[in-house]
Amino acid sequence: MERDRVHPPADEPALRALLAGEVTDAAIGLLGCRLVAGGRVVEIVETEAYHEDEAACHGYRGTTPRAQKLRRPPGSSYVYLSYGIHRLINVVTGSRSVASAVLIRGVVGDDALEPSALPGPGRLANALGIELVHDGLDLLDAASPVRLLPAAPEVVEHGLVALAGPRIGITKAVELPWRYAVCGSPGVSKPRPPGWPPR
């Protein structure tokens, strides 16, 4: 998929089914879904997929503590510290026998709240108050302090245009086009994926 129209899941059962499937499908399908954290509800506009078969994934080296966290039930959170500085939130996907997760890379929120666009996984985690204590949550549990919700009805109905390209901020398996972004959204990190609209 270089450029395609995506219709994200409309209800919780569809969201659960999406997260139980292939990690790349989940990364695409999470575009347009909502993340609830820090008293805010934001829309996911950029994701990256990670799978144990490729060297950029924390599950690549087998049975490390990080790899075990990627084998939690689908819909679990995986929050870790990147380079000792930034907290990043991921959504565990697929079978518990496979280590895979989707990194939430960019979100947009209500324009009445500042900032309304949060590109970059470290920036969004900081703005939404996502901490290391939020690791291991069930993101589909209504009582969880950090939650995933299906997309808003208008997003489901009209869909959104998504672009795919190489993941960024990594040095391994950089050739895989496993970064997905909502075309034209201010919540998408730079450099933008190929096919981004000209200014």
Side-chain angles (χ1 to χ4, degrees):
M1 180 194 77
E2 279 189 16
R3 186 183 186 107
D4 204 357
R5 186 161 290 277
V6 173
H7 293 271
D11 54 30
E12 185 180 321
L15 180 55
R16 286 185 180 277
L18 174 74
L19 297 177
E22 293 295 325
V23 67
T24 50
D25 292 340
I28 297 166
L30 280 172
L31 296 176
C33 290
R34 293 167 291 173
L35 182 67
V36 181
R40 296 185 65 173
V41 181
V42 295
E43 181 180 313
I44 298 169
V45 296
E46 184 183 9
T47 60
E48 286 180 344
Y50 289 87
H51 188 278
E52 66 178 24
D53 287 343
E54 46 87 13
C57 180
H58 289 170
Y60 184 67
R61 290 193 173 89
T63 56
T64 65
R66 282 185 164 184
Q68 291 304 104
K69 291 182 177 186
L70 292 178
R71 291 187 174 90
R72 291 168 172 157
S76 300
S77 64
Y78 171 43
V79 181
Y80 69 92
L81 203 60
S82 176
Y83 299 108
I85 303 171
H86 302 293
R87 299 173 305 282
L88 307 186
I89 183 166
N90 300 256
V91 184
V92 175
T93 66
S95 163
R96 294 188 68 174
S97 64
V98 176
S100 64
V102 174
L103 171 66
I104 307 301
R105 239 198 117 71
V107 299
V108 293
D110 188 329
D111 288 340
L113 297 172
E114 291 295 336
S116 60
L118 294 166
R123 183 179 179 191
L124 75 85
N126 186 60
L128 298 176
I130 294 171
E131 304 287 349
L132 295 178
V133 295
H134 295 135
D135 179 53
L137 297 175
D138 178 358
L139 296 174
L140 301 178
D141 182 348
S144 176
V146 181
R147 289 189 296 145
L148 273 176
L149 297 176
E154 61 272 17
V155 176
V156 174
E157 180 182 357
H158 299 293
L160 40 83
V161 175
L163 298 173
R167 297 172 297 184
I168 57 178
I170 58 174
T171 58
K172 300 174 182 176
V174 294
E175 73 286 353
L176 294 174
W178 284 5
R179 177 188 177 206
Y180 306 97
V182 175
C183 186
S185 174
V188 174
S189 312
K190 294 179 180 178
R192 268 67 186 261
W196 197 262
R199 295 178 74 88

